[in-house]
Amino acid sequence: MMECKEYREKFIHENLTESERNEFTEHLKDCAECRAFVENYNKMKEFMKARTEFKSSSNLKSKIVSKVKFRNRTRLLFKIALPTAAVIVFGTFYVSNPFSANRVAYEKVASTGIKMLNSSYATPVNSQSNLDYLVKIKYASDQF
Amino acid sequence: MKLFSLFVLSLLMVSVAFSSLINDVVTSYASQIIEGHRIVVEQSGSTTRIRYENILRDGYNEIVKIVAPKQFEWARIDKRTYIVFGNEMKISPATIVDAEQTFIKSIAASSTILSSSTTYFHGMKSYKLVVKSQGATYVAVILDPSLLIGYLKIERKKGDITISYDRINVVPVSYFKAILGRFKIIKKPPSAMEIYVWKLVSKLDDVSVTTITINNTSVAIVSGKTKFDKMVVAYVFQNAKSISTGDLVAQFKIKGFTAISVEREHINIVLATKMKISQLKKWIDSIFK
């Protein structure tokens, strides 16, 4: 007579001889633990069989494929298309009118003129311009 | 009676002689080739401006170098005004007036001699003429016998101009041409930008021009006072998509100023002031008409 462990190992590996299988059948009548083991094993075996032998319908297949494709497209949209579109929209706006995108810059530019308007003297400090000579023309010309 | 007749006759003879002198001065001026140094004083109301100038002149052609207060060189060649930039002469957007040449042209057209006498200028025998012509009174000291103008004062309602030579020499015929030949004369007309900035500069007192760059576009900021003593600031730039005139105008309006933008010949001009909008529009029309 074999031990429980030996029966179980030979059982799952299907190594039991004819006489051993009969002995194991007799053993199961008396051993509740081995009975539970065999039941669990058979349930597991059925489950594995169902998983490996399952054939989905073509309808289910196409549904799954289309769902996967949709999910991939959505992922692509969020990962590439949306940032690209944002860059294009922002870039176009920036190239066509970058300054209006920056009110602070306008404020800064206007502040130069506002300082002049608020000053009683027109000449700004350290003024430099390649058009300075136009002012010199004014003062080089005798005022007629 | 005889004495009175003699007096009148002598006066007439002197008058004829000085009338002839005016003709001689005008004729001589066109053929004089001189170099000199002169001081020009302009007085208008409480404002006095003084310039020191080196002058090289061949008839009506001249190269004038202002040495003080600010260095600047210009030339008049064949009735056209040029600005000197290093070794180049470029066409000026505005005519530069030389009061001396205005005097010659005025007396050549018509003049009334108010008084005439002989005098000495820097130790040289000279004639002093007081002439009225075209709304101005000219006091001129003409050197004898060269007929060079040594001193000239122009008196007008709007102010006086005094030109006084502290050095004046006749130079060889080829001298002016030799100097002029060193310059490259560029006949390209001034840009629209230069013309519009000049239009503003010419109409403003205490005027200044400063240049800034916005998004690779050069913007000239012209500021000064109108004849009504109102400060005006103008942003002048080539028509560019990179700058929104509307946004710039808005910035001034936010701060309580009157602002407007105008476009002429692809030039954008944003003007801001404390004047009323109607006044500003009127002023703009008077400048850019």
Side-chain angles (χ1 to χ4, degrees), chain B residues 69-80:
Chain B
K70 283 186 177 177
Q71 288 204 357
F72 179 62
E73 199 168 357
W74 62 276
R76 176 175 289 104
I77 311 294
D78 299 330
K79 297 181 181 175
R80 186 168 255 182

Side-chain angles (χ1 to χ4, degrees), chain B residues 16-253:
Chain B
V16 168
F18 280 106
S19 291
S20 166
L21 175 66
I22 282 178
N23 288 334
D24 291 345
V25 167
V26 171
T27 310
S28 171
Y29 191 86
S31 59
Q32 290 165 357
I33 304 171
I34 62 103
E35 73 82 26
H37 181 263
R38 65 188 185 185
I39 302 158
V40 183
V41 181
E42 290 189 65
Q43 277 182 305
S44 180
S46 58
T47 308
T48 302
R49 280 204 301 265
I50 301 172
R51 301 194 304 271
Y52 293 84
E53 299 178 338
N54 284 325
I55 178 163
L56 178 61
R57 180 171 67 80
D58 180 352
Y60 289 97
N61 290 340
E62 61 185 346
I63 301 168
V64 180
K65 186 173 187 176
I66 301 172
V67 289
K70 283 186 177 177
Q71 288 204 357
F72 179 62
E73 199 168 357
W74 62 276
R76 176 175 289 104
I77 311 294
D78 299 330
K79 297 181 181 175
R80 186 168 255 182
T81 306
Y82 293 87
I83 308 300
V84 178
F85 296 97
N87 293 324
E88 290 182 343
M89 285 187 183
K90 293 180 181 173
I91 295 173
S92 169
T95 302
I96 296 180
V97 178
D98 184 341
E100 190 181 294
Q101 296 203 6
T102 306
F103 163 67
I104 295 293
K105 284 171 191 167
S106 294
I107 60 170
S110 68
S111 61
T112 307
I113 299 171
L114 299 179
S115 74
S116 53
S117 58
T118 54
T119 185
Y120 284 90
F121 182 75
H122 294 317
M124 290 178 280
K125 192 187 166 198
S126 308
Y127 303 105
K128 183 181 179 185
L129 296 173
V130 181
V131 180
K132 194 162 181 62
S133 177
Q134 299 181 356
T137 302
Y138 297 91
V139 180
V141 174
I142 311 294
L143 306 184
D144 182 31
S146 62
L147 300 183
L148 298 172
I149 299 169
Y151 173 91
L152 178 68
K153 184 176 185 185
I154 301 155
E155 297 169 343
R156 299 156 309 153
K157 273 185 185 172
K158 64 187 285 188
D160 299 343
I161 300 169
T162 307
I163 297 171
S164 182
Y165 281 87
D166 54 11
R167 189 188 78 239
I168 186 164
N169 299 305
V170 174
V171 290
V173 176
S174 60
Y175 191 75
F176 184 87
K177 282 182 181 140
I179 298 289
L180 184 63
R182 292 178 192 170
F183 292 98
K184 183 184 174 187
I185 297 177
I186 297 167
K187 299 279 185 183
K188 189 183 160 193
S191 67
M193 182 85 173
E194 287 169 301
I195 289 167
Y196 280 95
V197 170
W198 167 250
K199 280 174 191 279
L200 288 158
V201 165
S202 65
K203 295 289 180 186
L204 291 168
D205 291 328
D206 296 334
V207 66
S208 76
V209 182
T210 189
T211 304
I212 58 170
T213 303
I214 305 170
N215 294 326
N216 297 322
T217 302
S218 181
V219 179
I221 305 176
V222 183
S223 67
K225 286 178 182 174
T226 67
K227 63 179 177 182
F228 304 111
D229 207 30
K230 299 284 185 187
M231 278 294 295
V232 170
V233 166
Y235 287 63
V236 189
F237 50 94
Q238 285 278 355
N239 197 336
K241 282 182 180 174
S242 57
I243 304 175
S244 158
T245 53
D247 284 344
L248 199 50
V249 165
Q251 287 298 324
F252 286 104
K253 285 185 174 176

Side-chain angles (χ1 to χ4, degrees), chain A residues 106 109 122 129 133 138 142-143, chain B residues 99 156 194 206 211 235 244:
Chain A
Y106 273 112
V109 168
S129 174
Y133 78 92
K138 186 180 169 96
D142 292 325
Q143 304 298 301
Chain B
R156 299 156 309 153
E194 287 169 301
D206 296 334
T211 304
Y235 287 63
S244 158

